[in-house]
């Protein structure tokens, strides 16, 4: 049965133990402190990087009475309907036998289509190593029958590792409890983008945690995957569709950059 992680942000204390455990286990190295932006909002680093595959995102919400802080673990969601897999023109980004998103650097051409297509901005290209990096869901630990590094070292119970179907039942139980006090409470990752291997039980709308409310695969990427990527079709049609795909991906990329700049400037 497929393994997953249930994330309950209401239990997160922003200790960043998951972030450090991921770095230590995968030996990703640490960010250059001279290049890391000092941020009052505690988002350090402010985005996923080739060295930081999982990070704690902090969102400050003004409820009219006092600031409310949302702490959310973010990383590759390992979506079933993965935009990055569909966008990759060489097969470098693909699904392994267990359904997790992985990368073959030997096939990567550095196009960054996967980076731009991802609705969560959770994979990044390393210009020096010429390789894409993302959360790989600890395949060595899973093979040994032990939980992922991040969930093992979470001290507050925010992260629960287990069979996906069992975790969905736990999420439903938590949701019923949260709904009594939080009418906008929801389960995130059950069906979004085909279902994810990270399932969140939230007390409010996903956007209040910094997550996209309705993550989708760009239409251009879907067309690319269905018609052009397999190698069929007329060359002229391929050029037109390819141009449309690039435009859709670039538009998403520009929107994400604008959103990141807005957040950096203190906007919501």
């Amino acid at each position: 049965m497929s393994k997953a992680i249930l994330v309950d942000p209401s239990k997160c204390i922003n200790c960043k133990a998951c972030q450090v455990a991921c770095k230590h286990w995968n030996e990703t190295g640490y960010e250059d402190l001279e290049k890391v932006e000092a941020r009052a909002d505690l988002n350090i680093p402010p985005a996923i990087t080739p060295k930081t595959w999982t990070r704690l995102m902090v969102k400050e919400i003004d409820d009219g009475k006092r600031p409310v802080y949302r702490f959310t673990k973010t990383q590759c969601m390992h979506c079933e309907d993965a935009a990055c897999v569909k966008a990759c023109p060489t097969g470098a980004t693909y699904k392994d036998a267990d359904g997790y998103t992985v990368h073959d650097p030997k096939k990567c051409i550095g196009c960054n289509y996967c980076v731009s297509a991802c609705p969560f901005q959770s994979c990044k290209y390393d210009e020096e190593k010429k390789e894409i990096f993302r959360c790989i869901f600890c395949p060595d630990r899973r093979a040994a029958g032990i939980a992922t590094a991040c969930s093992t070292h979470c001290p507050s119970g925010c992260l629960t590792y287990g069979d996906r179907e069992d975790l969905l039942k736990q999420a439903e139980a938590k949701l019923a409890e949260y709904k009594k006090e939080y009418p906008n409470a929801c389960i995130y990752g059950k069906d979004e983008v085909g279902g994810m291997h990270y399932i969140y039980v939230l007390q409010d709308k996903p956007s209040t945690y910094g997550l996209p409310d309705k993550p989708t695969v760009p239409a251009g990427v879907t067309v690319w995957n269905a018609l052009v990527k397999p190698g069929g079709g007329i060359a002229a049609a391929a050029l037109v569709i390819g141009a449309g795909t690039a435009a859709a991906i670039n538009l998403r990329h520009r929107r994400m950059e604008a959103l990141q700049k807005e957040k950096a400037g203190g906007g919501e």
Side-chain angles (χ1 to χ4, degrees), residues 3 25 98 100 137-148 161:
K3 299 294 183 180
W25 184 261
D98 296 320
Y100 302 97
F137 217 88
C138 294
D140 46 355
R141 296 176 67 94
R142 285 188 284 111
I146 55 178
T148 58
Y161 175 87

Side-chain angles (χ1 to χ4, degrees), residues 3-7 137 148 150-151 159-162 167 197-199:
K3 299 294 183 180
I5 291 177
L6 176 61
V7 185
F137 217 88
T148 58
C150 59
S151 59
L159 305 178
T160 304
Y161 175 87
L167 294 180
H197 284 86
Y198 278 89
I199 303 164

Side-chain angles (χ1 to χ4, degrees), residues 31-38 44-46 51 128:
E31 305 294 340
D32 185 342
L33 294 179
E34 294 183 356
K35 297 180 180 179
V36 173
E37 178 184 0
I44 302 173
K51 291 183 178 180
E128 294 182 2

Side-chain angles (χ1 to χ4, degrees), residues 81 86-87 217-228 241 245:
D81 188 18
K86 289 186 172 181
V217 177
V221 171
T222 301
V223 174
W224 159 269
N225 183 74
L227 300 181
V228 181
I241 296 171
T245 301

Side-chain angles (χ1 to χ4, degrees), residues 30 157-158:
Y30 290 86
C158 170

Side-chain angles (χ1 to χ4, degrees), residues 229-240:
K229 188 176 175 181
I234 302 173
L239 288 173
V240 172

Side-chain angles (χ1 to χ4, degrees), residues 4-5 77-80 120 164 168 186-202 206 211-213 215:
I5 291 177
M77 300 294 187
H78 295 280
C79 319
E80 281 298 314
F120 304 101
R164 190 173 188 275
L168 282 172
C186 63
I187 294 175
Y188 188 77
K190 178 181 179 180
D191 300 310
E192 284 80 5
V193 278
M196 306 183 324
H197 284 86
Y198 278 89
I199 303 164
Y200 295 74
V201 57
L202 307 175
L211 299 168
D213 285 323

